Amino acid sequence: MGEAVANVARRVNATVEEEKDTLDLSNCKLISFPDGVFRVLKGVSEKIHIITLADNEMKAISNKLFSTFTQLRELDLRGNVLTKLPDAVGEMEHLTSINLANNSFSIFPEKLTEIATLERINLEGNSITEIPVEKLSDMPALKWLNVKSNPLESNSQSALQSLANILITTES
């Protein structure tokens, strides 16, 4: 556990010291986003555009992540055990890409459809059966949706074909 904490501290400090726009906390055995990180990054949170929390053991993401990192453009949460996203994700004004592959979603996180800037959604390898096709079709920037390896109901699969301007990946 101590090694994991030290690893997170090293990466956070490097982000601050080198004035990076990226925070990479992938493979850190995190079960939640560490509160201490919010404090350390308080002064530079507006400069952070990319956060990678891939391949951890996170079961939930707090609203605080989205209210702190308001300039976020890319969020990589693949390889966790998330089942839902907080409502605050819908208020992200700059987010263009979210990777939620290989998590535990059984319901499509509909708050994503409220993000006008979102271009890419990766939900591969979850347990989603239904897709809110109508809401997705109203998303002005959406270009790519990956729902491969989900047990989609046939009506969702056929409805996805109606999304003409979006590249949809459904087959393995």
Side-chain angles (χ1 to χ4, degrees), residues 62-98:
S62 78
N63 275 321
K64 193 171 183 182
L65 180 81
F66 299 105
S67 60
T68 302
F69 300 102
T70 56
Q71 301 301 310
L72 208 54
R73 287 172 179 45
E74 296 178 28
L75 181 58
D76 186 350
L77 294 165
R78 75 190 134 79
N80 281 284
V81 284
L82 299 170
T83 57
K84 63 183 185 193
L85 293 174
D87 289 349
V89 73
E91 295 159 26
M92 298 305 292
E93 294 179 10
H94 304 285
L95 197 65
T96 59
S97 175
I98 190 162

Side-chain angles (χ1 to χ4, degrees), residues 118-121 133-146 160-169:
L118 200 54
E119 298 173 6
R120 300 174 59 84
I121 301 172
V133 175
E134 231 170 82
K135 288 183 177 182
L136 288 170
S137 67
D138 290 339
M139 292 178 71
L142 190 63
K143 295 181 177 117
W144 186 80
L145 172 68
N146 183 353
L160 281 170
Q161 305 313 312
S162 69
L163 298 173
N165 300 337
I166 302 169
L167 177 63
I168 314 252
T169 310

Side-chain angles (χ1 to χ4, degrees), residues 105 125-130 147-154 157:
F105 288 93
N126 280 280
S127 302
I128 297 169
T129 55
E130 289 182 63
V147 288
K148 200 167 32 175
S149 303
N150 278 282
L152 294 179
E153 293 177 356
S154 56
Q157 280 189 0

